[in-house]
Amino acid sequence: MTDLVFEIVKNELIANDIYEMTLKTDRLPQIFAGQFANIKIANRTDLILRRPFCIYSVDAKNNSIKIGYALRGEGTKALSLLEKDQKVNVLLPLGNGFPQVQEGKKILLVGGGIGALPLLSVAETYGKNQIYSCMGYKDKTLVIKDKEFAKLSKQCIIATDDGSYGEKGFVAQVLAKYIDKINPDVIFACGPEVMLKSLKVFDKFPIYVSLEQRMGCGIGACLVCSCKTKKDDGEHYSRVCADGPVFKFDEVFYD
C-alpha cells in the first residue's frame, strides 16, 4: 500500500453518468485483479474522506491505471470536474483481489452495472484462461466496455432489463440459458447486492463476489464497511476494504 501522486491523463464520460479516469505516476506498485484505490479529491477541503474506486485496468509499462465511477454524490461529482494534467493523491493497492486461477481453467465473469468494471481486470490478467462474460445493465445507455469484454472473452453475453441492448432479462435469467454449456470452473461476480444474491441458483460452481460498500478509511481501521460473514467457526463481522472486497459467495450470502 502506497500513497502516490498521480497525474490525470484523461477523465471522460463513457456512458450515462459513468466516467473513466486514466491516471499516471512515476512508479507503479504491483496490483492484482480486483484490488481498489482510495482517491483524495483535489482542491476540496470539505471532502475529507477519500473515495474508493476499482482499478480495472493496469498498464505497468507506462505506470498508469484506469478507474471507473458513477455520479452518485458530491465526491464523484467533484471528481468528474477534474481535468487533464491535474494531480490527485491515490492510496493503492487496497484490499484482496480475486484468487489466482490455474491456466486453462474456465472463468465466468458476471457483472451488473458499473460492477462490470472490476471484472475487466480479471479478463486482462487471466488471458491464458478461457474467459466467459455475462454483463447486465438497466438499459443500453448504461452499457460499458462491451467491446473490451467481447475481445477478451470466448463468449460475451450482454443483458438489459428492458431488452434495449443484447438479450432481455436480468443477468441470472439470461445466464441460466448458457451456464451448463459454459460449465465454468469458477465464477467471479460484481454488482448490486440483489444481482449477486440471484447467483445462488448457480452455487454448484465456486463463486467469488466483489462487494460494493461505502467505506471510510479504506484500510480497515474505521469499521464503516463491516459486513456479516460466516466462517468455519461461526459468524463474524468482516471489513470489506481489508478482508475483501472479494469473498466466497457463501461467506456473505448464507441465509
Side-chain angles (χ1 to χ4, degrees), residues 73-107:
E74 287 300 314
T76 49
K77 181 179 178 181
L79 196 68
S80 72
L81 298 177
L82 298 182
E83 299 179 343
K84 185 178 183 297
D85 298 331
Q86 284 188 264
K87 292 180 171 57
V88 291
N89 287 85
V90 183
L91 190 64
L92 83 174
L94 298 175
N96 297 299
F98 291 99
Q100 294 186 358
V101 181
Q102 183 181 348
E103 287 184 14
K105 297 293 185 179
K106 292 181 181 180
I107 302 175

Side-chain angles (χ1 to χ4, degrees), residues 138-156:
K138 184 177 180 180
D139 57 54
K140 65 180 180 181
T141 69
L142 296 171
V143 174
I144 50 176
K145 301 299 176 181
D146 54 320
K147 293 181 176 60
E148 286 82 352
F149 276 110
K151 182 179 179 180
L152 295 168
S153 304
K154 188 177 180 69
Q155 182 179 13
C156 178

Side-chain angles (χ1 to χ4, degrees), residues 39-51 71 73-82 86-89:
I39 298 180
K40 180 175 175 57
I41 310 299
N43 304 320
R44 288 293 298 268
T45 56
D46 57 320
L47 300 174
I48 300 174
L49 295 177
R50 298 185 186 222
R51 266 56 178 183
L71 293 183
E74 287 300 314
T76 49
K77 181 179 178 181
L79 196 68
S80 72
L81 298 177
L82 298 182
Q86 284 188 264
K87 292 180 171 57
V88 291
N89 287 85

Side-chain angles (χ1 to χ4, degrees), residues 4-9 21-31 55 57-66 90 92:
L4 298 174
V5 175
F6 279 76
E7 182 179 287
I8 298 174
V9 177
M21 179 180 282
T22 304
L23 298 160
K24 185 174 183 178
T25 191
D26 294 330
R27 187 176 63 180
L28 198 64
Q30 186 175 18
I31 299 170
I55 304 168
S57 184
V58 178
D59 184 347
K61 183 178 179 180
N62 293 303
N63 293 313
S64 68
I65 61 172
K66 290 182 179 180
V90 183
L92 83 174

Side-chain angles (χ1 to χ4, degrees), residues 66-245:
K66 290 182 179 180
I67 67 161
Y69 60 96
L71 293 183
R72 289 179 176 167
E74 287 300 314
T76 49
K77 181 179 178 181
L79 196 68
S80 72
L81 298 177
L82 298 182
E83 299 179 343
K84 185 178 183 297
D85 298 331
Q86 284 188 264
K87 292 180 171 57
V88 291
N89 287 85
V90 183
L91 190 64
L92 83 174
L94 298 175
N96 297 299
F98 291 99
Q100 294 186 358
V101 181
Q102 183 181 348
E103 287 184 14
K105 297 293 185 179
K106 292 181 181 180
I107 302 175
L108 173 59
L109 307 177
V110 184
I114 198 167
L117 290 180
L119 301 172
L120 193 58
S121 66
V122 177
E124 288 186 349
T125 301
Y126 293 115
K128 294 183 179 180
N129 292 83
Q130 298 180 58
I131 302 294
Y132 294 80
S133 304
C134 185
M135 302 296 147
Y137 308 93
K138 184 177 180 180
D139 57 54
K140 65 180 180 181
T141 69
L142 296 171
V143 174
I144 50 176
K145 301 299 176 181
D146 54 320
K147 293 181 176 60
E148 286 82 352
F149 276 110
K151 182 179 179 180
L152 295 168
S153 304
K154 188 177 180 69
Q155 182 179 13
C156 178
I157 305 157
I158 303 293
T160 51
D161 296 355
D162 63 357
S164 56
Y165 189 88
E167 299 193 35
K168 183 177 181 178
F170 299 127
V171 169
Q173 294 173 328
V174 173
L175 182 57
K177 297 186 292 184
Y178 299 92
I179 190 75
D180 288 334
K181 185 175 181 180
I182 295 173
N183 191 29
D185 293 294
V186 65
I187 298 173
F188 290 162
C190 185
E193 184 175 318
V194 65
M195 186 219 81
L196 295 178
K197 285 183 175 180
S198 74
L199 302 182
K200 175 70 175 176
V201 295
F202 308 126
D203 65 0
K204 68 177 181 180
F205 305 102
I207 304 174
Y208 291 84
V209 295
S210 180
L211 301 184
E212 299 176 333
Q213 197 89 346
R214 283 186 174 274
M215 296 181 186
C217 67
I219 58 174
C222 70
L223 307 181
V224 167
C225 63
S226 294
C227 70
K228 189 181 289 187
T229 57
K230 186 176 182 180
K231 307 289 184 180
D232 292 339
D233 59 347
E235 290 186 346
H236 298 267
Y237 277 92
S238 298
R239 304 159 300 174
V240 172
C241 64
D243 301 315

